[in-house]
mmCIF file of all heavy atoms in Angstrom:
data_model
loop_
_atom_site.group_PDB
_atom_site.id
_atom_site.type_symbol
_atom_site.label_atom_id
_atom_site.label_comp_id
_atom_site.label_asym_id
_atom_site.label_seq_id
_atom_site.Cartn_x
_atom_site.Cartn_y
_atom_site.Cartn_z
ATOM 1 N N MET A 21 -88.258 -41.762 8.967
ATOM 2 C CA MET A 21 -87.137 -41.312 9.810
ATOM 3 C C MET A 21 -87.581 -41.366 11.219
ATOM 4 O O MET A 21 -86.698 -41.805 12.077
ATOM 5 C CB MET A 21 -86.713 -39.980 9.479
ATOM 6 C CG MET A 21 -86.072 -39.739 8.064
ATOM 7 S SD MET A 21 -85.607 -38.074 7.676
ATOM 8 C CE MET A 21 -84.449 -37.613 8.957
ATOM 9 N N ALA A 22 -88.775 -40.962 11.526
ATOM 10 C CA ALA A 22 -89.210 -41.023 12.964
ATOM 11 C C ALA A 22 -89.204 -42.529 13.504
ATOM 12 O O ALA A 22 -88.782 -42.711 14.586
ATOM 13 C CB ALA A 22 -90.469 -40.326 13.112
ATOM 14 N N ILE A 23 -89.799 -43.417 12.697
ATOM 15 C CA ILE A 23 -89.785 -44.712 13.115
ATOM 16 C C ILE A 23 -88.546 -45.435 13.304
ATOM 17 O O ILE A 23 -88.240 -46.205 14.256
ATOM 18 C CB ILE A 23 -90.715 -45.477 12.207
ATOM 19 C CG1 ILE A 23 -92.213 -45.077 12.317
ATOM 20 C CG2 ILE A 23 -90.664 -47.165 12.506
ATOM 21 C CD1 ILE A 23 -93.043 -45.412 11.109
ATOM 22 N N ARG A 24 -87.555 -45.004 12.382
ATOM 23 C CA ARG A 24 -86.258 -45.688 12.425
ATOM 24 C C ARG A 24 -85.425 -45.170 13.563
ATOM 25 O O ARG A 24 -84.729 -45.832 14.233
ATOM 26 C CB ARG A 24 -85.515 -45.454 11.035
ATOM 27 C CG ARG A 24 -84.195 -46.152 10.986
ATOM 28 C CD ARG A 24 -83.695 -46.141 9.501
ATOM 29 N NE ARG A 24 -83.327 -44.868 9.128
ATOM 30 C CZ ARG A 24 -83.899 -44.104 8.137
ATOM 31 N NH1 ARG A 24 -84.971 -44.562 7.588
ATOM 32 N NH2 ARG A 24 -83.504 -42.852 7.775
ATOM 33 N N LYS A 25 -85.392 -43.743 13.701
ATOM 34 C CA LYS A 25 -84.460 -43.200 14.702
ATOM 35 C C LYS A 25 -85.075 -42.951 16.136
ATOM 36 O O LYS A 25 -84.472 -42.653 17.065
ATOM 37 C CB LYS A 25 -84.124 -41.725 14.233
ATOM 38 C CG LYS A 25 -83.233 -41.953 12.936
ATOM 39 C CD LYS A 25 -82.671 -40.547 12.455
ATOM 40 C CE LYS A 25 -81.833 -40.678 11.309
ATOM 41 N NZ LYS A 25 -81.155 -39.320 10.828
ATOM 42 N N GLY A 26 -86.414 -43.002 16.307
ATOM 43 C CA GLY A 26 -87.071 -42.931 17.480
ATOM 44 C C GLY A 26 -86.989 -41.689 18.261
ATOM 45 O O GLY A 26 -86.989 -40.605 17.564
ATOM 46 N N ALA A 27 -86.849 -41.580 19.527
ATOM 47 C CA ALA A 27 -86.975 -40.394 20.282
ATOM 48 C C ALA A 27 -85.799 -39.440 19.987
ATOM 49 O O ALA A 27 -85.924 -38.288 20.116
ATOM 50 C CB ALA A 27 -86.852 -40.823 21.841
ATOM 51 N N SER A 28 -84.588 -40.027 19.624
ATOM 52 C CA SER A 28 -83.535 -39.157 19.259
ATOM 53 C C SER A 28 -83.813 -38.248 18.158
ATOM 54 O O SER A 28 -83.110 -37.055 17.977
ATOM 55 C CB SER A 28 -82.273 -39.966 18.897
ATOM 56 O OG SER A 28 -82.442 -40.695 17.812
ATOM 57 N N TYR A 29 -84.752 -38.574 17.334
ATOM 58 C CA TYR A 29 -85.214 -37.743 16.263
ATOM 59 C C TYR A 29 -86.444 -36.893 16.499
ATOM 60 O O TYR A 29 -86.580 -35.740 16.345
ATOM 61 C CB TYR A 29 -85.402 -38.576 14.969
ATOM 62 C CG TYR A 29 -86.085 -37.826 13.730
ATOM 63 C CD1 TYR A 29 -85.354 -37.005 13.024
ATOM 64 C CD2 TYR A 29 -87.394 -38.028 13.428
ATOM 65 C CE1 TYR A 29 -85.946 -36.335 11.942
ATOM 66 C CE2 TYR A 29 -88.003 -37.357 12.379
ATOM 67 C CZ TYR A 29 -87.350 -36.559 11.590
ATOM 68 O OH TYR A 29 -87.890 -35.968 10.515
ATOM 69 N N ILE A 30 -87.363 -37.518 17.252
ATOM 70 C CA ILE A 30 -88.699 -36.851 17.427
ATOM 71 C C ILE A 30 -88.536 -35.826 18.560
ATOM 72 O O ILE A 30 -89.081 -34.818 18.389
ATOM 73 C CB ILE A 30 -89.678 -37.913 17.870
ATOM 74 C CG1 ILE A 30 -89.969 -38.944 16.766
ATOM 75 C CG2 ILE A 30 -91.110 -37.346 18.097
ATOM 76 C CD1 ILE A 30 -90.768 -40.158 17.068
ATOM 77 N N ARG A 31 -87.841 -36.025 19.561
ATOM 78 C CA ARG A 31 -87.768 -35.133 20.719
ATOM 79 C C ARG A 31 -87.157 -33.853 20.253
ATOM 80 O O ARG A 31 -87.878 -32.775 20.484
ATOM 81 C CB ARG A 31 -86.863 -35.765 21.788
ATOM 82 C CG ARG A 31 -86.783 -34.922 23.068
ATOM 83 C CD ARG A 31 -85.669 -35.443 23.999
ATOM 84 N NE ARG A 31 -85.513 -34.509 25.101
ATOM 85 C CZ ARG A 31 -86.092 -34.614 26.180
ATOM 86 N NH1 ARG A 31 -87.165 -35.421 26.378
ATOM 87 N NH2 ARG A 31 -85.906 -33.690 27.137
ATOM 88 N N PRO A 32 -86.066 -33.722 19.596
ATOM 89 C CA PRO A 32 -85.584 -32.354 19.111
ATOM 90 C C PRO A 32 -86.480 -31.749 18.157
ATOM 91 O O PRO A 32 -86.654 -30.477 18.203
ATOM 92 C CB PRO A 32 -84.170 -32.709 18.576
ATOM 93 C CG PRO A 32 -84.127 -34.178 18.305
ATOM 94 C CD PRO A 32 -85.017 -34.750 19.396
ATOM 95 N N LEU A 33 -87.031 -32.465 17.223
ATOM 96 C CA LEU A 33 -88.013 -31.900 16.303
ATOM 97 C C LEU A 33 -89.261 -31.390 16.966
ATOM 98 O O LEU A 33 -89.719 -30.348 16.581
ATOM 99 C CB LEU A 33 -88.377 -32.893 15.257
ATOM 100 C CG LEU A 33 -89.233 -32.474 14.119
ATOM 101 C CD1 LEU A 33 -88.639 -31.457 13.279
ATOM 102 C CD2 LEU A 33 -89.619 -33.787 13.132
ATOM 103 N N PHE A 34 -89.809 -32.080 17.913
ATOM 104 C CA PHE A 34 -90.855 -31.762 18.697
ATOM 105 C C PHE A 34 -90.615 -30.411 19.391
ATOM 106 O O PHE A 34 -91.380 -29.463 19.351
ATOM 107 C CB PHE A 34 -91.133 -32.871 19.790
ATOM 108 C CG PHE A 34 -92.223 -32.443 20.800
ATOM 109 C CD1 PHE A 34 -93.667 -32.526 20.409
ATOM 110 C CD2 PHE A 34 -91.996 -32.158 22.027
ATOM 111 C CE1 PHE A 34 -94.602 -32.146 21.243
ATOM 112 C CE2 PHE A 34 -92.960 -31.936 22.969
ATOM 113 C CZ PHE A 34 -94.301 -31.812 22.505
ATOM 114 N N ILE A 35 -89.413 -30.284 20.039
ATOM 115 C CA ILE A 35 -89.102 -29.056 20.898
ATOM 116 C C ILE A 35 -88.975 -27.859 19.775
ATOM 117 O O ILE A 35 -89.442 -26.760 20.034
ATOM 118 C CB ILE A 35 -87.710 -29.329 21.626
ATOM 119 C CG1 ILE A 35 -88.157 -30.209 22.866
ATOM 120 C CG2 ILE A 35 -87.409 -27.942 22.279
ATOM 121 C CD1 ILE A 35 -86.885 -30.693 23.466
ATOM 122 N N THR A 36 -88.244 -28.194 18.716
ATOM 123 C CA THR A 36 -87.905 -27.072 17.706
ATOM 124 C C THR A 36 -89.274 -26.453 17.147
ATOM 125 O O THR A 36 -89.472 -25.350 17.145
ATOM 126 C CB THR A 36 -87.165 -27.696 16.571
ATOM 127 O OG1 THR A 36 -85.806 -28.120 17.110
ATOM 128 C CG2 THR A 36 -86.888 -26.551 15.389
ATOM 129 N N VAL A 37 -90.155 -27.403 16.685
ATOM 130 C CA VAL A 37 -91.433 -26.941 16.139
ATOM 131 C C VAL A 37 -92.234 -26.161 17.135
ATOM 132 O O VAL A 37 -92.936 -25.282 16.870
ATOM 133 C CB VAL A 37 -92.224 -28.160 15.537
ATOM 134 C CG1 VAL A 37 -93.698 -27.722 15.191
ATOM 135 C CG2 VAL A 37 -91.445 -28.749 14.303
ATOM 136 N N THR A 38 -92.377 -26.667 18.381
ATOM 137 C CA THR A 38 -93.005 -26.055 19.408
ATOM 138 C C THR A 38 -92.502 -24.568 19.782
ATOM 139 O O THR A 38 -93.219 -23.714 19.808
ATOM 140 C CB THR A 38 -93.016 -26.867 20.723
ATOM 141 O OG1 THR A 38 -93.490 -28.189 20.419
ATOM 142 C CG2 THR A 38 -93.956 -26.300 21.782
ATOM 143 N N VAL A 39 -91.134 -24.458 19.721
ATOM 144 C CA VAL A 39 -90.556 -23.137 19.995
ATOM 145 C C VAL A 39 -90.983 -22.252 18.761
ATOM 146 O O VAL A 39 -91.268 -21.076 19.005
ATOM 147 C CB VAL A 39 -89.064 -23.287 20.100
ATOM 148 C CG1 VAL A 39 -88.396 -21.863 20.039
ATOM 149 C CG2 VAL A 39 -88.711 -23.939 21.516
ATOM 150 N N ILE A 40 -90.793 -22.675 17.458
ATOM 151 C CA ILE A 40 -91.176 -21.924 16.399
ATOM 152 C C ILE A 40 -92.711 -21.632 16.450
ATOM 153 O O ILE A 40 -93.148 -20.392 16.051
ATOM 154 C CB ILE A 40 -90.890 -22.689 15.073
ATOM 155 C CG1 ILE A 40 -89.373 -22.872 14.826
ATOM 156 C CG2 ILE A 40 -91.473 -21.930 13.834
ATOM 157 C CD1 ILE A 40 -89.055 -23.845 13.746
ATOM 158 N N LEU A 41 -93.508 -22.542 16.827
ATOM 159 C CA LEU A 41 -95.065 -22.087 16.991
ATOM 160 C C LEU A 41 -95.171 -21.012 18.031
ATOM 161 O O LEU A 41 -95.967 -20.117 17.874
ATOM 162 C CB LEU A 41 -95.724 -23.400 17.514
ATOM 163 C CG LEU A 41 -96.124 -24.336 16.297
ATOM 164 C CD1 LEU A 41 -96.632 -25.731 17.053
ATOM 165 C CD2 LEU A 41 -97.399 -23.774 15.633
ATOM 166 N N ILE A 42 -94.450 -21.092 19.223
ATOM 167 C CA ILE A 42 -94.462 -20.005 20.212
ATOM 168 C C ILE A 42 -94.134 -18.658 19.508
ATOM 169 O O ILE A 42 -94.905 -17.689 19.618
ATOM 170 C CB ILE A 42 -93.574 -20.256 21.301
ATOM 171 C CG1 ILE A 42 -94.067 -21.449 22.098
ATOM 172 C CG2 ILE A 42 -93.490 -19.138 22.304
ATOM 173 C CD1 ILE A 42 -93.055 -22.074 23.047
ATOM 174 N N GLY A 43 -93.054 -18.577 18.859
ATOM 175 C CA GLY A 43 -92.543 -17.335 18.185
ATOM 176 C C GLY A 43 -93.667 -16.873 17.180
ATOM 177 O O GLY A 43 -93.941 -15.683 17.139
ATOM 178 N N LYS A 44 -94.187 -17.766 16.415
ATOM 179 C CA LYS A 44 -95.211 -17.417 15.467
ATOM 180 C C LYS A 44 -96.486 -16.807 16.051
ATOM 181 O O LYS A 44 -97.026 -15.826 15.563
ATOM 182 C CB LYS A 44 -95.705 -18.688 14.578
ATOM 183 C CG LYS A 44 -96.803 -18.499 13.599
ATOM 184 C CD LYS A 44 -96.426 -17.594 12.490
ATOM 185 C CE LYS A 44 -97.468 -17.710 11.356
ATOM 186 N NZ LYS A 44 -98.836 -17.482 11.739
#
């Protein structure tokens, strides 16, 4: 999915996971 969709997929996933990591 990342290779096919590129930054439009990776960027929001990157931000989401990082925010969850902060909360954790």
